[in-house]
Amino acid sequence: MITSPAFADRKYALLGLARSGMATLDALVASGAHCMAWDNRAEAREEAADRAEIADPMLADLSGYYGIVVSPGVPLNSHPIAQRSRDTGVPITSDIELFAQARAALPPHKLVGVTGTNGKSTTVALIRHILESAGLPALMGGNIGLPILSRDPLSPNANGVGVYILELSSYQIDITQSLDCDIAVLLNLTPDHLDRYDNDFGKYAASKARLFAMQSAGKTAVFGKNDPATRAIAEAVASRSGSPDVVIPDKTTLTGQQDWASLQGPHNAENTAIAIAVVETLGVTEAQWRPALASFTGLPHRMERMAEHKGILFINDSKATNPASAAPALAAYKNIHWILGGLPKGEGLDECEPFFGNVKHAYTIGEAGPSYAKLLDAKGVKVDASEMLCTAVQSALDNAISGDVIMLSPACASFDQFRDFEARGEHFRKIVQALTHTGKAA
């Protein structure tokens, strides 16, 4: 794990003991810190009892405490811990901020931070894949994979370079104060998670912009160019005195995308252009990154080429939890049997509408199903109101022919029927395997 002498003999209160909370507790205790910890789940409190004082920081005496480490899942715009922090003068912080403070004790390295509404995980995984293909030690963490503090520190290669790549949600950036990324990335911005920002898109965008405010002069800031909010932040960063160097890649200059099986669609052209800008800043050449693009296999539930059966391709894009993230998947293929629906984050499918011509048949599920079925029918899209995912997959398989694509790209959150998008995607996988009698990836 990652530890630091900076934490020794300090006192921290932890609120939330899920995966990142437990990793933070372990790292702090191993660094010589005293920890108070709390979670609403009794089993989590029991698991932490041998390493921490079990007490609720909402009620306990916080005198002498250095910080309150809050899980990113705690909504600071509504949770009373925010007022408790103000009343006691003990700042709220995060595991990402602790990593930032631990960097001084780590072997020489570079740090890449990636944020945005959509495409973060794919871009982070692609950057890591390219770096590792080029022989550079690389490790990804943050909002993807294992918590960063649970990972062993990178050992630099012969050139003295190891690269940490962090996927950063707005929630994580909100409670991070000193993360000075060597390369910071903003992919895109569309309305999402606005319940955490009082339904104010400007506050959400300002949260993302803080990643660049923490950068010092001489570092690099990389931006997408496909939406006005991202471009506005890029312009603001470029105009700031002592700003990092601003890079805005142009995806139209890329060639060879047809050879990158797991990077199809215009959104992945943008993600790839940004990943190339990052790795080239780190010294990777085209001779190194181009073959890596062809060998990249992508991530589960993100436009995943899951299976092929009788010429029909199955795409698992369960991670598309809003219309803006479903639209690129629709743009990437023709003759789509589109399975969509769940817990809606808005009333319409405006971002998807330009690609309705690629949809051969739609199958709606979940809470949004009836309204989406009505909307799609009014737009001339053939649609079945399926309600359940298993019904939708069976109907799509009955209707599809060789050359068609059956795609789960829900444009909705999963919480009406599933624990999370991963559970929804795995359920889709099991249904496809059962109906086609194949577990083979495409």
Side-chain angles (χ1 to χ4, degrees), residues 241-280:
S241 176
S243 67
D245 298 328
V246 170
V247 176
I248 304 176
D250 183 0
K251 67 181 180 184
T252 64
T253 64
L254 276 180
T255 60
Q257 189 181 11
Q258 69 276 6
D259 300 322
W260 313 330
S262 296
L263 293 167
Q264 296 303 294
H267 70 306
N268 273 328
E270 179 84 358
N271 295 341
T272 302
I274 287 171
I276 291 169
V278 170
V279 300
E280 287 189 337

Side-chain angles (χ1 to χ4, degrees), residues 283-348:
V284 176
T285 66
E286 181 172 355
Q288 294 171 307
W289 60 249
R290 187 166 286 281
L293 300 181
S295 62
F296 179 64
T297 56
L299 293 168
H301 318 301
R302 296 161 176 87
M303 277 187 67
E304 176 191 2
R305 294 169 63 93
M306 192 178 69
E308 190 169 341
H309 176 70
K310 295 183 178 179
I312 301 166
L313 179 63
F314 291 84
I315 299 293
N316 176 2
D317 194 36
S318 182
K319 183 63 170 67
T321 58
N322 56 54
S325 56
L330 297 181
Y333 294 94
K334 306 288 186 183
N335 300 318
I336 299 170
H337 294 260
W338 182 24
I339 301 171
L340 74 156
L343 188 66
K345 293 185 176 181
E347 296 182 358

Side-chain angles (χ1 to χ4, degrees), residues 97-341:
E97 173 59 24
L98 294 176
F99 171 74
Q101 295 174 18
R103 290 183 64 196
L106 295 176
H109 64 276
K110 297 289 186 181
L111 173 62
V112 177
V114 179
T115 194
T117 304
N118 299 308
K120 296 186 295 295
S121 296
T122 295
T123 304
V124 166
L126 179 58
I127 292 168
R128 183 190 66 170
H129 175 73
I130 296 171
L131 292 175
E132 289 183 339
S133 298
L136 276 71
L139 184 155
M140 63 184 187
N143 203 41
I144 186 173
L146 297 174
I148 189 62
L149 293 178
S150 72
R151 309 302 300 274
D152 291 333
L154 284 170
S155 297
N157 68 358
N159 296 321
V161 177
V163 184
Y164 295 89
I165 314 141
L166 299 183
E167 178 186 323
L168 299 169
S169 70
S170 57
Y171 307 161
Q172 291 168 312
I173 296 170
D174 285 339
I175 49 179
T176 299
Q177 296 81 36
S178 65
L179 189 73
D180 187 3
C181 295
D182 295 285
I183 306 172
V185 176
L186 176 60
L187 298 168
N188 49 59
L189 278 174
T190 57
D192 201 13
H193 305 302
L194 295 190
D195 56 315
R196 290 281 290 261
Y197 297 96
D198 305 321
N199 292 314
D200 186 335
F201 179 64
K203 290 182 179 179
Y204 172 63
S207 171
K208 299 289 194 183
R210 287 192 65 253
L211 181 62
F212 305 94
M214 290 186 279
Q215 278 190 293
S216 55
K219 304 298 175 66
T220 301
V222 183
F223 294 91
K225 58 186 297 185
N226 286 347
D227 64 87
T230 299
R231 292 194 299 269
I233 293 174
E235 292 170 2
V237 171
S239 66
R240 192 178 75 216
S241 176
S243 67
D245 298 328
V246 170
V247 176
I248 304 176
D250 183 0
K251 67 181 180 184
T252 64
T253 64
L254 276 180
T255 60
Q257 189 181 11
Q258 69 276 6
D259 300 322
W260 313 330
S262 296
L263 293 167
Q264 296 303 294
H267 70 306
N268 273 328
E270 179 84 358
N271 295 341
T272 302
I274 287 171
I276 291 169
V278 170
V279 300
E280 287 189 337
T281 301
L282 293 168
V284 176
T285 66
E286 181 172 355
Q288 294 171 307
W289 60 249
R290 187 166 286 281
L293 300 181
S295 62
F296 179 64
T297 56
L299 293 168
H301 318 301
R302 296 161 176 87
M303 277 187 67
E304 176 191 2
R305 294 169 63 93
M306 192 178 69
E308 190 169 341
H309 176 70
K310 295 183 178 179
I312 301 166
L313 179 63
F314 291 84
I315 299 293
N316 176 2
D317 194 36
S318 182
K319 183 63 170 67
T321 58
N322 56 54
S325 56
L330 297 181
Y333 294 94
K334 306 288 186 183
N335 300 318
I336 299 170
H337 294 260
W338 182 24
I339 301 171
L340 74 156

